[in-house]
Structure formats: structure tokens, C-alpha cells
Amino acid sequence: MKSYPVDLVRAQTRDILLRWGMSEEHATVTADLMTETDLRGVDSHGISMLPSYEEQLELKQVNVRPSFKTVRETPVMALIDADASIGHPAAAYGMNLAVDKALKTGVGVVSVFNSNHFGAAGCYSKIAAERGCIGMVTSATRGVNMVPTFAAEPILGTNPIAFAAPAKRHANFELDMATTTVAANKIKVYKLNHKPMPQGWMVDGQGEPVTDAARAMALLHGPEKEGGITPLGGTRELGSHKGYGLGAMVHILGGVLSGAAFSPIRNRTQKVGDPNNLGHFLMAIDPKAFRAEGEFESDLDDVIDVLRDARPANPSQPVLIPGDPENATRKQRLASGIPLPDDLIALLRGIAQRAGAKFVLE
């Protein structure tokens, strides 16, 4: 697999978005967030999402020139209509607004509806931490692929939750996770790389494990509506009911609170051109509203020290905290580039050609 310079990946993404008709501001924000996602090793949610976004554009589900509208607002909250925008600029706008409110009042909560896929949830909790706040993000999803505990068909999505908190001596604490055993787009990555999946990620309509990534993608996107991704935990004995409960909680915050769609209901009547109406929940908390300035960050540094100093089961593998693997990958890829599989390069070449953009990932 060939690796490509970060600036080249960002430029390719931005040029395609501009050719699709996005504004300079929104194309730049979106390309930056997508490239940051690839930099951190979340290959499922970066530039590899462009084929899916192109499909949604063709279905007229995405508005490339949105005008965000404030529907309700108080000093501590806001409800934002994203006007069918691609999710990245809408969620970035929402989190920055939540942080603005938190820095004035101690807490800010912004709920966004009428949006679309926004990439990796951790990009937005990270915005809060970089501005000195605790950030929490959940989102409704377009896909319906989680098979609830005891069910034989998918009902929920991968329903992500992200949390970030600012530290002082250490890098910020950053958690970003699906509430399924694996994110659906990671299965796409396994298919693109022709790799078998680990057992436990997927089950068929009889509850039997699926490890062939091509078959898994067919189950996820085909008409069968049987089987799908397991909740976090995998099986009831290993705690899948907890992953299922977390997934439902994520949708309640990200979808129900904002008035956004619940995909199994929306899919019954959605026609070409009808919006996906995804919802995002973005919360920011200013630690200075609770503690003297710097105390929270210092205590978090101490917590991180204790976690990292835990005796490892394998001396060659130290104990990590959330965010460590992503930060290590980011450092490596800044130096060596972002690896992109040949199958994805072929898809991107076609997208660029159809958009009228120069293809630079040769």
C-alpha cells in the first residue's frame, strides 16, 4: 500500500469538495477534519468516505451550500438546523458554539438536526479540549447495522460517542468509539484491503459469525436486512446488552433530542432527494466553572500518570490511555504519509474525474 503526503491528501479532498460546489470555508473545514481523521489512523472515516458522499450528492440528500439556522437558543443551549449540510461543517459550527457558551456560562449544549454523516466524532470533542473545555459528542447515524442483543436483524447504527478533556503536562484525554463492536466503515476498510475480519464483529441472520468482509458488506448494504454488526461486547455473556444500551442512549441524545430522524423509521418512506436528517449532540463544560484555573488539568495529569504506570501484563506493551494510539499514528503519518489502498485510489480517481478535479494521488 502506497503512502501519500498529508498535504496532498488534504488538497485532493478539498479540490473535490470545491468542485462539488461547497464554499471555500466549508470545503476547507471538511477537508481538514477528514484529513485529520486519516492522520489519526481512523481510515474508515477520512478520505475513504468520498465515494459514499458522492452517492448521497447524486441522490440529492446533501446541500453543498447550506445556511445554518438557529431554531431555539438560550445562554446555555442552541438548536441548529443544518440545512442538509454535510456533517463536518455543521458539527464543527455546533461544537464551537457550545464552547463559546461554556466559556461564558460554564456549560454549553448544542443540538443539530437536518445534517449528514460527520466523520469521526472525536474530531469535535477534540475542538472543545483544544479550547480548554471538556467535550462530549454523540450522533445519530444513517446506517442501520447494529443487531440488538437477542435480535436477528439490525435496528440501530454504530452510534458513536466521543469525549475529550484538557490536560496540562500530557496530551489531552480523547476517547472516540462506536457503541458496536466495530464501526461499519472499518469493515469497508477490510474489504478494500482484501483482509478477513476478526470473528465476533458480524453475525448473519441466524446469529452465526461472519468473517468474510465482502459478504459482511453485502449483508450491511444488501436487501436481506438480516444480521449485522454486534453491539459492543459481542455476546450477551460478554456484555452486548451494555453496548446495545449505550447505542440507544447515543441516539436519544443525538437524534431524539434534536428532532432528527431515526433511520429505521425514516427508511420506510425516504425518497430520492429527501434529506437524511441526521442529528448531533455537542456538549462543552468549562472546568474553570467548577475548579480554580488549572486545577482540573493538573488532577487529570495525575490520573493519567497512575493509569500509564499500571503494571503491564506484557512488559513490551505498556498501558495506554484513550488517544495514545491515535497520537502515535498521527506522528508517524505526518512523517511518512497516509497509506491508501489501491482499490480506494481507483475509486478516488473516478470521483475526481467526474467532479472535474485534477487527480494528484498518483
Side-chain angles (χ1 to χ4, degrees), residues 119-352:
C123 286
Y124 308 102
S125 54
K126 187 173 186 286
I127 289 172
E130 288 176 343
R131 295 185 60 189
C133 287
I134 298 166
M136 180 177 168
V137 177
T138 75
S139 181
T141 57
R142 185 171 63 99
V144 179
N145 36 40
M146 179 205 281
V147 179
T149 305
F150 302 134
E153 62 175 339
I155 300 294
L156 292 168
T158 53
N159 290 18
I161 183 168
F163 175 88
K168 187 180 294 182
R169 288 184 288 107
H170 295 298
N172 297 333
F173 181 99
E174 295 177 358
L175 171 69
D176 183 5
M177 54 176 270
T179 50
T180 46
T181 302
V182 67
N185 283 310
K186 286 196 175 178
I187 295 171
K188 171 190 68 181
V189 172
Y190 271 71
K191 180 177 181 291
L192 287 169
N193 287 281
H194 304 283
K195 292 170 57 178
M197 302 184 314
Q199 186 164 311
W201 283 12
M202 287 273 301
V203 292
D204 62 19
Q206 287 69 51
E208 296 298 319
V210 176
T211 57
D212 180 84
R215 183 181 175 220
M217 288 294 285
L219 281 172
L220 288 176
H221 300 290
E224 296 91 347
K225 303 301 179 189
E226 291 186 354
I229 304 175
T230 56
L232 184 63
T235 65
R236 175 67 170 80
E237 293 73 23
L238 294 177
S240 69
H241 56 292
K242 298 178 182 179
Y244 168 38
L246 282 171
M249 179 199 78
V250 163
H251 179 76
I252 291 167
L253 287 173
V256 181
L257 183 64
S258 66
F262 184 41
S263 293
I265 296 175
R266 182 200 62 235
N267 290 350
R268 297 172 191 168
T269 58
Q270 188 178 26
K271 303 179 184 66
V272 173
D274 289 347
N276 288 314
N277 188 18
L278 298 192
H280 317 307
F281 172 85
L282 308 121
M283 179 173 68
I285 302 170
D286 182 4
K288 296 190 297 296
F290 295 83
R291 307 282 305 277
E293 185 167 0
E295 286 184 350
F296 172 86
E297 294 83 352
S298 293
D299 282 357
L300 179 55
D301 279 334
D302 292 342
V303 170
I304 291 171
D305 284 336
V306 172
L307 293 173
R308 287 206 178 119
D309 288 345
R311 180 168 56 87
N314 181 346
S316 66
Q317 174 57 69
V319 177
L320 306 176
I321 65 161
D324 282 350
E326 293 83 358
N327 287 330
T329 301
R330 189 180 195 279
K331 182 178 180 180
Q332 175 189 350
R333 291 188 174 185
L334 279 171
S336 62
I338 295 172
L340 300 175
D342 292 343
D343 285 8
L344 177 57
I345 289 296
L347 290 172
L348 295 174
R349 183 180 288 107
I351 291 171

Side-chain angles (χ1 to χ4, degrees), residues 26 29 33 68 70 73 76-82 86-102 108-113 115 118 124-125 127-128 131 136-137 280-284:
H26 284 184
V29 168
L33 290 166
F68 303 150
T70 302
E73 187 170 23
V76 298
M77 61 75 61
L79 177 65
I80 305 297
D81 180 348
I86 193 170
H88 303 71
Y93 173 84
M95 180 51 91
N96 277 300
L97 179 59
V99 173
D100 290 343
K101 290 178 177 294
V109 178
V110 173
S111 195
V112 176
F113 70 98
S115 184
F118 71 177
Y124 308 102
S125 54
I127 289 172
R131 295 185 60 189
M136 180 177 168
V137 177
H280 317 307
F281 172 85
L282 308 121
M283 179 173 68

Side-chain angles (χ1 to χ4, degrees), residues 10 26-40 45-47 87-93 118-120 122-124 126-127:
R10 182 186 292 109
H26 284 184
T28 299
V29 168
T30 304
D32 285 349
L33 290 166
M34 290 175 70
T35 306
E36 179 64 24
T37 300
D38 278 324
L39 265 178
R40 294 168 66 79
H45 285 58
I47 196 172
H88 303 71
Y93 173 84
F118 71 177
C123 286
Y124 308 102
K126 187 173 186 286
I127 289 172

